[in-house]
Amino acid sequence: MAKIELKDVRKVYAGNVEAVKGVSLSVEDGAFVVLVGPSGCGKSTLLRMVAGLESISSGTVQIGDRVVNDLEPAERDIAMVFQNYALYPHMTVRKNLEYGLKNRKMAPAEIARRVDEAAKMLEIGALLDRRPGQLSGGQRQRVAMGRALVREPAAFLFDEPLSNLDAKLRVQMRAEIRRLQRRLRTTSLYVTHDQLEAMTLADTLVVLNAGRIEQAGSPMEVYERPASLFVATFIGSPAMNLLPLGEQGIPGLTAPEGLFSRTRPAETLGIRPEHMRVVDGEAPRPEEMRFDLTVSGVEVVGAESFVYGTLPKGGSEIAVRVPGYSHAEPGTPLTAAADTSYLHRFDRETGRRI
Amino acid sequence: MIERRGLGRPMAHLVLIVGLFIVAFPIYYTFVASTQSLTTILRPPLPLTPGDQIGANYGEALFGGIGRIGGVAVTTLLFNTLVMALGIALGKIFISILSAFAVVFFRFPLRMVFFWLIFVTLMLPVEVRILPTYKVMVDLGMIDTYAGLILPLIASATATLLFRQFFMTIPAELVEAARIDGAGPLRFLKDILLPLSKTNIAALFVILFIYGWTQYLWPLLVTNDNQMNTIVIALRKMVSFADADTPWHMVMVTSILAILPPVLVVVLMQRWFVRGLVESEK
């Protein structure tokens, strides 16, 4: 087990394309850190640099107390789980698990012990003599995890391991990965583009955008205090409502006295759908903002519904979460309210939180 | 499968049977001729059923030796041809796997230049480069040796291309997983690439074995000693323009024996093809 330390890591591809633009990140011993971001943000490249599958243009990667920049992947004491599992198709499950250990010339008895232990932990004991082609997606994923587990490495690296599974299995495996990691306490670096996966798995969530870290923190911290407009819209579904503040305030928005006097004009306000509610005739409270919307659509999810409405004069579209089933009719007026304490404020120029 | 009703089925069978007859009859007739004495063959018509000379003819050919080609037994010819065909087939597979491996999995300067150089050799078959190749073989003292028979035919652009195409379908993650599992390049080749290529290798082996077995021009040049002849060359030497000089019964025996090994290879390897097709592992 070990700490992973990245210092100003950069990746420049041929043609001067900079995929990772100076990332410094410290993954504590035993922590579960999730890198999340849209495609092309450099998250996979970063992971592959830690794994040693991608050369490091500048900066250092340290695993434990060794700088591993020039070490082969096999010498870095890491194990990786790939998106498409990357199991050896011609080997049985047992051989797949053993392969990395055999290459390290480990004693047969120790190999057998580790394989049995991993098989028990992942409940793949019955599959040991089958080949990957005879397994379902979920089972293959387990075997891929097993191959990482038997190595007992200093760190696990996960490269979107659940992306090829169906929704139900993904939730199940997600919980299982979390449980295993808690139990083994192995330092883990996990890459995903799925923010739900990121939120549920991470001790520390690292949001990447265009090769840079936008924000790093606990999932709730990132959710409740997004450091930038990018994070605010990327984390949370439906995305946070954004309201560009103009010289005359925002048409259709009634705010408590004095709220906007404190703000500069070049600002964007943000409020999450779940912090809004539909007003049904009651008088406004002093700390409350009110939105006069025209309903544009309704999404019924099941336990809750999202009502979408637009502010007058071509204003932004606002999503409001409503518990249960919403009877709002498109085209009808609707008043929504939100407490000002839930308001996020961002500088429109820099995108940073104010 | 399309179900045929009414007359379709018998018609289909009729066509198949006629086709089979056209293909198989000459071979059967060769076999019949190989069991007759020379006098029976030279006095038409040739009977349609096997004669009584089968033991004598085959025994003489296999173990006695045939006069027209310097008293060499067909067993020697078969052995020579087998060594050459196996050498060519295995050599081609070995060389082309290694070169495809290098071209696909390694980044080195002039990689594509080397690839194109291999590709360009498709334009230089044995017939085109026969004089320089012959000179090289003479200089190296390889006339009348197995090496001389095999080496000039080993390099194969076609097989290299085939393996290159196959290697390129191997997912990058598999290569990376092996790297993380501590497999160096050669171990990756041995433990992962070769097992995955086995159906390709089997298919190629059949094609190349038959290619090697039926070589004519090069063995004709490079072997002078009767003891080193391949079966195809010996067969050619047996046939004389004066009919009476040609031991036709021996020619027929040799023909049948020359056909057998390639047929055997095809029949035995066929099971591999099927298994490779059914068991899609990737």
Side-chain angles (χ1 to χ4, degrees), chain A residues 48 52 73-74 80 82 84 87-90 99-100 103-104 131 151, chain B residues 173-174 176-183 187 191-192 195-196 279 281:
Chain A
R48 291 164 56 79
M80 188 151 167
F82 294 89
N84 62 6
L87 300 174
Y88 310 119
H90 57 293
Y99 189 63
N103 286 344
R104 286 178 172 73
R131 290 187 185 198
R151 293 268 316 281
Chain B
E173 276 96 341
L174 206 60
E176 292 169 351
R179 271 181 78 189
I180 289 177
D181 267 346
R187 190 176 298 210
D191 287 350
I192 290 158
L196 288 178
E279 196 180 86
E281 285 189 306

Side-chain angles (χ1 to χ4, degrees), chain A residues 81-87 89 93 97 122 124 127 131-147 161 164-165 169 173, chain B residues 280-282:
Chain A
V81 181
F82 294 89
Q83 179 177 354
N84 62 6
Y85 322 129
L87 300 174
V93 169
L97 298 184
L122 291 161
I124 51 172
L127 311 175
R131 290 187 185 198
Q134 299 163 304
L135 304 179
S136 69
Q139 289 169 330
R140 283 183 217 187
Q141 186 56 58
R142 279 165 190 276
V143 176
M145 298 262 305
R147 192 169 57 181
N164 284 3
L165 299 179
L169 216 49
M173 284 304 290
Chain B
S280 73
E281 285 189 306
K282 231 166 7 89

Side-chain angles (χ1 to χ4, degrees), chain A residues 57-71:
Chain A
S57 305
S58 74
T60 57
V61 173
Q62 198 174 331
I63 299 174
D65 40 20
R66 292 187 302 169
V67 172
V68 296
N69 281 34
D70 298 322
L71 292 183

